[in-house]
Protein backbone atom coordinates (compact mmCIF):
# COMPACT_ATOMS: atom_id res chain seq x y z
CA UNK A 1 0.00 0.00 0.00
CA UNK A 2 1.38 3.41 -0.92
CA UNK A 3 0.81 6.81 0.66
CA UNK A 4 -0.91 8.40 -2.34
CA UNK A 5 -3.49 5.61 -2.48
CA UNK A 6 -4.30 6.03 1.21
CA UNK A 7 -4.50 9.81 0.91
CA UNK A 8 -6.96 9.36 -1.93
CA UNK A 9 -9.00 6.58 -0.31
CA UNK A 10 -9.05 7.81 3.28
CA UNK A 11 -7.72 11.33 3.88
CA UNK A 12 -5.22 13.76 2.36
CA UNK A 13 -3.92 14.29 5.91
CA UNK A 14 -2.36 10.82 6.19
CA UNK A 15 1.41 10.92 6.72
CA UNK A 16 4.06 8.23 6.25
CA UNK A 17 6.79 7.19 8.68
CA UNK A 18 5.48 9.23 11.61
CA UNK A 19 7.70 8.84 14.72
CA UNK A 20 5.61 7.21 17.44
CA UNK A 21 7.77 8.03 20.47
CA UNK A 22 6.45 11.61 20.80
CA UNK A 23 2.90 10.25 20.79
CA UNK A 24 3.49 7.99 23.83
CA UNK A 25 4.08 8.79 27.49
CA UNK A 26 7.00 6.32 27.47
CA UNK A 27 8.67 8.31 24.65
CA UNK A 28 9.55 4.97 23.08
CA UNK A 29 8.77 3.40 19.71
CA UNK A 30 9.69 3.31 16.04
CA UNK A 31 7.68 4.96 13.24
CA UNK A 32 4.12 4.31 12.17
CA UNK A 33 4.03 3.18 8.56
CA UNK A 34 1.06 5.52 8.06
CA UNK A 35 -0.48 8.01 10.50
CA UNK A 36 -3.76 9.95 10.65
CA UNK A 37 -4.91 12.48 13.24
CA UNK A 38 -8.70 11.99 13.20
CA UNK A 39 -10.40 15.16 14.42
CA UNK A 40 -13.93 13.71 14.47
CA UNK A 41 -15.49 10.36 15.34
CA UNK A 42 -16.87 10.09 11.82
CA UNK A 43 -13.41 10.61 10.31
CA UNK A 44 -12.01 7.87 12.54
CA UNK A 45 -14.90 5.56 11.60
CA UNK A 46 -14.33 6.17 7.89
CA UNK A 47 -10.63 5.45 8.28
CA UNK A 48 -11.31 2.16 10.08
CA UNK A 49 -13.86 1.12 7.43
CA UNK A 50 -11.39 1.92 4.64
CA UNK A 51 -8.61 -0.04 6.37
CA UNK A 52 -10.88 -3.05 6.61
CA UNK A 53 -11.83 -2.73 2.96
CA UNK A 54 -8.18 -2.40 1.93
CA UNK A 55 -7.11 -5.15 4.36
CA UNK A 56 -4.67 -2.71 5.95
CA UNK A 57 -3.78 -3.22 9.64
CA UNK A 58 -4.72 -0.34 11.90
CA UNK A 59 -4.25 0.74 15.50
CA UNK A 60 -6.34 3.33 17.33
CA UNK A 61 -4.24 5.61 19.55
CA UNK A 62 -5.44 7.78 22.42
CA UNK A 63 -3.21 9.70 24.81
CA UNK A 64 -0.31 7.28 24.47
CA UNK A 65 -0.29 5.99 28.05
CA UNK A 66 -0.43 2.28 28.98
CA UNK A 67 1.21 1.24 25.72
CA UNK A 68 4.67 0.16 24.59
CA UNK A 69 5.42 0.61 20.88
CA UNK A 70 7.93 -1.69 19.21
CA UNK A 71 11.34 -0.30 18.33
CA UNK A 72 10.59 -1.38 14.76
CA UNK A 73 7.43 0.71 14.72
CA UNK A 74 3.87 -0.12 13.67
CA UNK A 75 2.75 -1.58 10.35
CA UNK A 76 -0.39 -0.20 8.74
CA UNK A 77 -2.28 2.92 9.80
CA UNK A 78 -2.17 4.47 13.27
CA UNK A 79 -5.32 6.53 13.89
CA UNK A 80 -4.86 9.14 16.58
CA UNK A 81 -8.20 10.04 18.17
CA UNK A 82 -8.05 13.84 18.16
CA UNK A 83 -11.82 14.28 18.66
CA UNK A 84 -11.59 16.04 22.00
CA UNK A 85 -15.00 17.67 22.44
CA UNK A 86 -17.36 17.24 25.39
CA UNK A 87 -20.64 18.73 26.61
CA UNK A 88 -21.91 18.94 30.18
CA UNK A 89 -25.71 19.12 30.44
CA UNK A 90 -26.79 18.79 34.04
CA UNK A 91 -25.56 15.42 35.33
CA UNK A 92 -25.16 14.06 31.77
CA UNK A 93 -21.76 14.40 30.11
CA UNK A 94 -21.35 13.60 26.42
CA UNK A 95 -17.68 13.18 25.58
CA UNK A 96 -15.66 12.19 22.53
CA UNK A 97 -13.05 9.45 22.75
CA UNK A 98 -10.05 11.76 22.35
CA UNK A 99 -10.92 14.09 25.24
CA UNK A 100 -8.26 14.11 27.99
CA UNK A 101 -9.62 12.28 31.03
CA UNK A 102 -8.01 14.61 33.57
CA UNK A 103 -9.48 17.68 31.84
CA UNK A 104 -12.96 16.18 31.91
CA UNK A 105 -12.56 15.39 35.61
CA UNK A 106 -11.63 19.00 36.29
CA UNK A 107 -14.44 20.48 34.18
CA UNK A 108 -17.07 18.18 35.70
CA UNK A 109 -16.11 19.23 39.22
CA UNK A 110 -16.12 22.89 38.17
CA UNK A 111 -19.66 22.28 36.85
CA UNK A 112 -20.76 21.12 40.32
CA UNK A 113 -20.72 17.39 39.59
CA UNK A 114 -19.27 14.49 41.55
CA UNK A 115 -18.05 11.11 40.38
CA UNK A 116 -14.82 11.78 38.49
CA UNK A 117 -12.69 13.26 41.26
CA UNK A 118 -10.65 10.04 41.28
CA UNK A 119 -9.48 10.76 37.70
CA UNK A 120 -7.63 13.96 38.62
CA UNK A 121 -4.24 13.86 36.94
CA UNK A 122 -5.00 10.62 35.09
CA UNK A 123 -3.02 10.50 31.81
CA UNK A 124 -4.59 9.55 28.52
CA UNK A 125 -8.01 9.95 26.97
CA UNK A 126 -11.56 8.92 27.77
CA UNK A 127 -11.48 6.26 25.04
CA UNK A 128 -8.45 4.61 26.60
CA UNK A 129 -9.83 4.99 30.11
CA UNK A 130 -13.05 3.24 29.07
CA UNK A 131 -11.21 0.49 27.22
CA UNK A 132 -9.05 -0.35 30.25
CA UNK A 133 -11.70 0.56 32.85
CA UNK A 134 -9.17 2.91 34.39
CA UNK A 135 -9.41 3.63 38.08
CA UNK A 136 -7.68 4.82 41.24
CA UNK A 137 -8.55 6.26 44.65
CA UNK A 138 -11.52 3.88 44.84
CA UNK A 139 -13.19 4.96 41.58
CA UNK A 140 -13.43 3.39 38.13
CA UNK A 141 -14.73 4.43 34.72
CA UNK A 142 -17.50 1.83 34.87
CA UNK A 143 -19.07 3.73 37.78
CA UNK A 144 -20.00 6.65 35.53
CA UNK A 145 -20.62 5.11 32.10
CA UNK A 146 -24.18 5.20 30.79
CA UNK A 147 -23.42 4.25 27.19
CA UNK A 148 -20.55 4.03 24.73
CA UNK A 149 -20.73 4.63 20.99
CA UNK A 150 -18.52 2.16 19.16
CA UNK A 151 -17.63 0.80 15.78
CA UNK A 152 -18.17 -2.94 16.20
CA UNK A 153 -18.56 -5.69 13.60
CA UNK A 154 -18.62 -3.00 10.89
CA UNK A 155 -21.60 -1.33 12.58
CA UNK A 156 -21.94 1.97 14.42
CA UNK A 157 -23.51 0.85 17.72
CA UNK A 158 -24.30 2.16 21.18
CA UNK A 159 -23.60 -0.18 24.10
CA UNK A 160 -25.03 0.27 27.57
CA UNK A 161 -22.95 -0.19 30.70
CA UNK A 162 -23.70 -3.91 31.07
CA UNK A 163 -22.83 -4.59 27.42
CA UNK A 164 -19.38 -3.07 28.00
CA UNK A 165 -18.64 -6.04 30.32
CA UNK A 166 -16.36 -4.05 32.59
CA UNK A 167 -13.96 -5.89 34.88
CA UNK A 168 -10.78 -5.05 36.75
CA UNK A 169 -8.79 -2.99 34.21
CA UNK A 170 -10.77 -4.80 31.56
CA UNK A 171 -13.77 -4.48 29.23
CA UNK A 172 -15.28 -6.06 26.13
CA UNK A 173 -13.25 -3.56 24.11
CA UNK A 174 -10.02 -5.18 25.24
CA UNK A 175 -11.23 -8.70 24.62
CA UNK A 176 -12.79 -8.11 21.21
CA UNK A 177 -10.22 -6.97 18.64
CA UNK A 178 -11.25 -4.31 16.16
CA UNK A 179 -13.77 -2.51 18.36
CA UNK A 180 -13.25 1.26 18.22
CA UNK A 181 -14.62 3.58 20.91
CA UNK A 182 -15.92 6.79 19.32
CA UNK A 183 -17.67 8.63 22.18
CA UNK A 184 -19.50 8.04 25.44
CA UNK A 185 -22.26 9.33 27.67
CA UNK A 186 -21.46 9.60 31.37
CA UNK A 187 -23.98 10.15 34.13
CA UNK A 188 -22.57 11.88 37.18
CA UNK A 189 -24.26 13.18 40.32
CA UNK A 190 -24.73 16.73 41.54
CA UNK A 191 -22.09 17.36 44.19
CA UNK A 192 -23.66 17.59 47.65
CA UNK A 193 -20.87 19.96 48.55
CA UNK A 194 -19.21 21.50 45.44
CA UNK A 195 -16.40 23.03 47.49
CA UNK A 196 -15.63 19.63 49.03
CA UNK A 197 -15.61 18.02 45.56
CA UNK A 198 -13.08 20.60 44.36
CA UNK A 199 -10.98 20.03 47.46
CA UNK A 200 -11.08 16.26 46.89
CA UNK A 201 -9.93 16.69 43.29
CA UNK A 202 -7.05 18.90 44.40
CA UNK A 203 -6.15 16.41 47.14
CA UNK A 204 -6.07 13.56 44.62
CA UNK A 205 -3.74 15.55 42.36
CA UNK A 206 -1.38 16.09 45.30
CA UNK A 207 -1.52 12.43 46.32
CA UNK A 208 -0.75 11.33 42.79
CA UNK A 209 2.18 13.74 42.50
CA UNK A 210 3.55 12.60 45.87
CA UNK A 211 3.26 8.89 45.14
CA UNK A 212 3.99 8.56 41.42
CA UNK A 213 6.96 9.56 39.20
CA UNK A 214 4.99 12.09 37.14
CA UNK A 215 8.11 13.97 36.06
CA UNK A 216 9.63 10.91 34.37
CA UNK A 217 8.69 9.07 31.20
CA UNK A 218 6.54 6.00 31.89
CA UNK A 219 3.45 4.25 30.58
CA UNK A 220 1.69 4.36 33.95
CA UNK A 221 1.32 1.26 36.09
CA UNK A 222 3.30 -1.57 34.53
CA UNK A 223 1.46 -4.50 36.15
CA UNK A 224 -2.07 -5.34 37.22
CA UNK A 225 -2.63 -5.93 40.91
CA UNK A 226 -2.20 -9.60 41.76
CA UNK A 227 -5.28 -11.68 42.55
CA UNK A 228 -4.90 -14.38 45.19
CA UNK A 229 -7.30 -17.33 45.12
CA UNK A 230 -6.73 -17.98 48.83
CA UNK A 231 -5.24 -15.02 50.75
CA UNK A 232 -5.23 -16.87 54.10
CA UNK A 233 -3.20 -19.70 52.60
CA UNK A 234 -0.84 -17.38 50.71
CA UNK A 235 -0.08 -14.97 53.58
CA UNK A 236 2.44 -17.15 55.45
CA UNK A 237 4.34 -17.97 52.25
CA UNK A 238 4.45 -14.32 51.21
CA UNK A 239 5.57 -13.24 54.67
CA UNK A 240 8.47 -15.70 54.62
CA UNK A 241 9.48 -15.40 50.95
CA UNK A 242 9.44 -11.59 50.99
CA UNK A 243 11.17 -11.50 54.39
CA UNK A 244 8.47 -9.36 55.98
CA UNK A 245 8.48 -8.14 59.52
CA UNK A 246 6.10 -10.28 61.57
CA UNK A 247 4.00 -7.22 62.37
CA UNK A 248 3.75 -5.91 58.80
CA UNK A 249 0.24 -6.04 57.40
CA UNK A 250 -0.10 -7.63 53.97
CA UNK A 251 -2.56 -5.23 52.28
CA UNK A 252 -5.00 -7.63 50.64
CA UNK A 253 -8.19 -5.98 49.43
CA UNK A 254 -11.57 -7.50 50.41
CA UNK A 255 -11.62 -9.23 47.01
CA UNK A 256 -8.17 -10.77 47.54
CA UNK A 257 -6.02 -8.51 45.38
CA UNK A 258 -2.60 -7.30 46.40
CA UNK A 259 -1.01 -4.16 44.90
CA UNK A 260 1.66 -5.04 42.35
CA UNK A 261 3.73 -2.07 43.50
CA UNK A 262 3.73 -3.35 47.07
CA UNK A 263 4.89 -6.78 45.92
CA UNK A 264 7.70 -5.39 43.75
CA UNK A 265 8.77 -3.03 46.53
CA UNK A 266 8.89 -5.84 49.11
CA UNK A 267 10.88 -7.93 46.61
CA UNK A 268 13.43 -5.09 46.83
CA UNK A 269 13.38 -4.40 43.10
CA UNK A 270 13.15 -0.60 43.20
CA UNK A 271 15.98 0.83 41.12
CA UNK A 272 16.48 -2.37 39.09
CA UNK A 273 17.74 -1.26 35.66
CA UNK A 274 17.97 -2.37 32.05
CA UNK A 275 19.81 0.17 29.93
CA UNK A 276 17.95 3.48 30.07
CA UNK A 277 14.93 2.07 31.92
CA UNK A 278 14.44 1.29 35.61
CA UNK A 279 11.93 0.38 38.30
CA UNK A 280 10.95 3.71 39.84
CA UNK A 281 12.38 4.51 43.26
CA UNK A 282 9.18 6.45 43.96
CA UNK A 283 6.58 3.81 43.01
CA UNK A 284 7.62 0.24 42.30
CA UNK A 285 4.81 -0.41 39.79
CA UNK A 286 6.24 2.16 37.39
CA UNK A 287 8.98 1.50 34.86
CA UNK A 288 10.59 4.84 34.07
CA UNK A 289 12.88 5.81 31.21
CA UNK A 290 15.22 8.74 30.67
CA UNK A 291 14.11 9.61 27.15
CA UNK A 292 16.60 7.27 25.48
CA UNK A 293 14.98 3.97 26.41
CA UNK A 294 13.99 1.24 23.99
CA UNK A 295 11.11 -1.19 23.88
CA UNK A 296 13.55 -4.09 24.11
CA UNK A 297 14.91 -2.69 27.38
CA UNK A 298 11.40 -2.36 28.82
CA UNK A 299 10.54 -5.91 27.80
CA UNK A 300 13.75 -7.28 29.32
CA UNK A 301 13.14 -5.39 32.57
CA UNK A 302 9.49 -6.51 32.70
CA UNK A 303 10.52 -10.13 32.21
CA UNK A 304 13.19 -9.84 34.91
CA UNK A 305 10.69 -8.40 37.41
CA UNK A 306 8.16 -11.14 36.72
CA UNK A 307 10.76 -13.90 37.00
CA UNK A 308 12.29 -12.49 40.19
CA UNK A 309 8.88 -12.14 41.90
CA UNK A 310 7.78 -15.59 40.77
CA UNK A 311 10.99 -17.22 41.99
CA UNK A 312 10.98 -15.38 45.33
CA UNK A 313 7.37 -16.38 46.05
CA UNK A 314 7.89 -20.00 44.96
CA UNK A 315 5.59 -19.60 41.98
CA UNK A 316 2.66 -18.17 43.92
CA UNK A 317 2.74 -14.64 42.47
CA UNK A 318 2.50 -14.34 38.70
CA UNK A 319 2.42 -10.70 37.67
CA UNK A 320 0.58 -9.72 34.48
CA UNK A 321 1.31 -6.59 32.50
CA UNK A 322 -1.17 -3.74 32.38
CA UNK A 323 0.77 -2.23 29.47
CA UNK A 324 -0.43 -3.08 25.95
CA UNK A 325 2.21 -4.04 23.37
CA UNK A 326 1.84 -2.35 19.98
CA UNK A 327 3.63 -3.34 16.78
CA UNK A 328 5.10 -6.59 18.08
Amino acid sequence: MDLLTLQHEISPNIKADEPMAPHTTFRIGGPAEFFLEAETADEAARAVAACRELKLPYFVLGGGSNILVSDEGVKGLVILMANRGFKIDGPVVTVEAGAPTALLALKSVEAGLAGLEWAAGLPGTIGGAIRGNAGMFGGEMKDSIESVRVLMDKEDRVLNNAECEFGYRDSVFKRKPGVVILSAVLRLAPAENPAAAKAKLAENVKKKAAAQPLNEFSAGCAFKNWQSLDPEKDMPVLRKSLDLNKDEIIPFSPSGTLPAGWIIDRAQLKGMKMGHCAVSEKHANFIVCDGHGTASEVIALTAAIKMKVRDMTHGIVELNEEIEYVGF
Side-chain angles (χ1 to χ4, degrees):
M1 194 67 60
D2 64 90
L3 178 60
L4 289 177
T5 298
L6 292 182
Q7 289 176 332
H8 179 265
E9 294 290 335
I10 300 177
S11 168
N13 297 322
I14 289 180
K15 297 183 285 187
D17 297 321
E18 172 74 6
M20 282 294 290
H23 296 290
T24 75
T25 57
F26 241 150
R27 294 298 189 268
I28 286 174
E33 185 177 11
F34 303 108
F35 185 89
L36 172 64
E37 191 168 326
E39 296 185 352
T40 67
D42 289 342
E43 184 180 14
R46 288 195 302 271
V48 169
C51 286
R52 289 172 175 169
E53 184 70 25
L54 297 168
K55 294 181 170 52
L56 180 72
Y58 64 90
F59 175 75
V60 178
L61 176 67
S65 60
N66 286 94
I67 64 171
L68 177 66
V69 176
S70 166
D71 295 322
E72 283 69 46
V74 186
K75 293 295 184 183
L77 177 64
V78 172
I79 304 168
L80 173 64
M81 300 298 282
N83 55 331
R84 302 185 178 101
F86 60 88
K87 178 183 177 184
I88 299 176
D89 185 9
V92 178
V93 179
T94 304
V95 57
E96 299 213 64
T101 307
L103 176 62
L104 187 67
L106 173 63
K107 293 299 183 182
S108 66
V109 168
E110 288 179 347
L113 299 175
L116 284 183
E117 297 93 329
W118 62 267
L122 190 72
T125 60
I126 283 292
I130 292 171
R131 185 175 182 273
N133 188 26
M136 59 182 179
F137 301 131
E140 293 180 294
M141 278 306 306
K142 70 179 181 64
D143 301 333
S144 302
I145 294 295
E146 184 167 286
S147 63
V148 180
R149 180 189 168 201
V150 300
L151 196 63
M152 177 185 285
D153 299 326
K154 300 182 180 180
E155 295 181 359
D156 195 321
R157 298 176 55 188
V158 175
L159 305 184
N160 62 32
N161 188 297
E163 290 172 318
C164 295
E165 298 177 16
F166 289 117
Y168 171 63
R169 303 298 175 263
D170 194 23
S171 70
V172 69
F173 313 116
K174 266 193 169 183
R175 297 191 297 272
K176 190 163 184 175
V179 178
V180 179
I181 297 170
L182 300 173
S183 63
V185 176
L186 281 58
R187 183 169 290 276
L188 304 177
E192 293 182 7
N193 185 332
K198 289 181 181 180
K200 185 65 175 177
L201 184 133
E203 179 188 348
N204 287 345
V205 170
K206 288 182 180 178
K207 283 182 178 178
K208 191 175 175 67
Q212 298 180 5
L214 302 184
N215 60 341
E216 298 180 86
F217 298 128
S218 79
C221 288
F223 299 97
K224 296 178 182 179
N225 290 339
W226 175 65
Q227 175 72 55
S228 170
L229 298 179
D230 191 342
E232 290 297 326
K233 180 181 177 182
D234 291 336
M235 274 190 189
V237 180
L238 292 174
R239 189 171 298 281
K240 183 177 180 180
S241 62
L242 297 176
D243 195 25
L244 302 181
N245 182 296
K246 63 182 179 64
D247 298 320
E248 181 169 3
I249 295 172
I250 300 178
F252 276 109
S253 73
S255 62
T257 61
L258 196 57
W262 182 90
I263 296 170
I264 298 166
D265 184 3
R266 295 311 188 274
Q268 300 183 38
L269 299 182
K270 279 185 174 180
M272 184 180 185
K273 293 187 70 174
M274 289 286 179
H276 297 273
C277 302
V279 178
S280 170
E281 295 280 6
K282 196 170 189 179
H283 192 306
N285 199 17
F286 282 70
I287 292 175
V288 295
C289 300
D290 62 8
H292 301 284
T294 66
S296 60
E297 289 171 348
V298 174
I299 289 172
L301 182 54
T302 300
I305 294 166
K306 293 173 69 173
M307 182 172 65
K308 185 72 173 176
V309 168
R310 183 178 63 242
D311 290 350
M312 286 186 70
T313 60
H314 307 286
I316 290 178
V317 178
E318 293 275 358
L319 293 176
N320 293 309
E321 295 93 326
E322 191 168 322
I323 296 170
E324 178 182 359
Y325 295 99
V326 180
F328 291 89

